[in-house]
């Protein structure tokens, strides 16, 4: 599982601990993208395309989305949605909150 910290956490740390803008999400995101090698993903095979603003594709850390999701995972995501937790296709994309097949 490849899930980085939430943008709001990095921004809060930068402010709360007086780290300056070096720890803001916008400052650390390029480092995560350089590390990440998203490949072989249904996101790249006709599904919802990953946003290149948030994802890296050539880095040394292989990241993949399970494909196809197990039936139990689909059931879990549907149960979450029925209880007010919206689905998200990409924890590392624009919308981190929600249930995903990761």
């Amino acid at each position: 599982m490849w899930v980085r910290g939430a943008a709001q956490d990095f921004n809060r740390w930068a402010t709360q601990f007086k780290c300056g803008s070096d720890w803001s999400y916008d400052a650390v995101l390029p480092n995560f993208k350089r590390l990440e090698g998203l490949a072989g993903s249904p996101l790249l095979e006709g599904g919802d395309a990953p946003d290149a603003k948030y994802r890296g594709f050539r880095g040394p850390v292989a990241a993949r989305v399970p494909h196809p999701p197990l039936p139990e995972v689909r059931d879990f995501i549907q149960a979450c949605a029925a209880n007010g937790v919206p689905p998200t296709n990409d924890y590392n994309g624009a919308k981190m909150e929600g249930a995903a097949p990761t």
Side-chain angles (χ1 to χ4, degrees):
M1 179 181 275
W2 175 259
V3 180
R4 10 180 150 122
Q8 62 268 24
D9 289 335
F10 284 103
N11 293 334
R12 181 174 47 83
W13 297 331
T15 303
Q16 181 178 350
F17 299 112
K18 300 183 184 3
C19 301
S21 60
D22 291 345
W23 272 98
S24 71
Y25 182 72
D26 288 338
V28 299
L29 180 59
N31 299 304
F32 283 118
K33 288 175 62 178
R34 276 193 292 277
L35 281 171
E36 181 179 42
L38 181 64
S41 165
L43 294 174
L44 298 174
E45 298 165 3
D48 292 332
D51 189 336
K53 177 180 177 184
Y54 301 100
R55 301 307 296 252
F57 301 94
R58 294 184 178 94
V61 178
R64 299 182 186 276
V65 175
H67 181 66
L70 296 171
E72 296 85 359
V73 173
R74 284 193 298 270
D75 292 346
F76 175 76
I77 292 171
Q78 289 174 349
C80 288
N83 286 284
V85 178
T88 184
N89 288 328
D90 188 356
Y91 283 131
N92 293 311
K95 180 181 166 234
M96 186 175 209
E97 297 82 14
T102 305

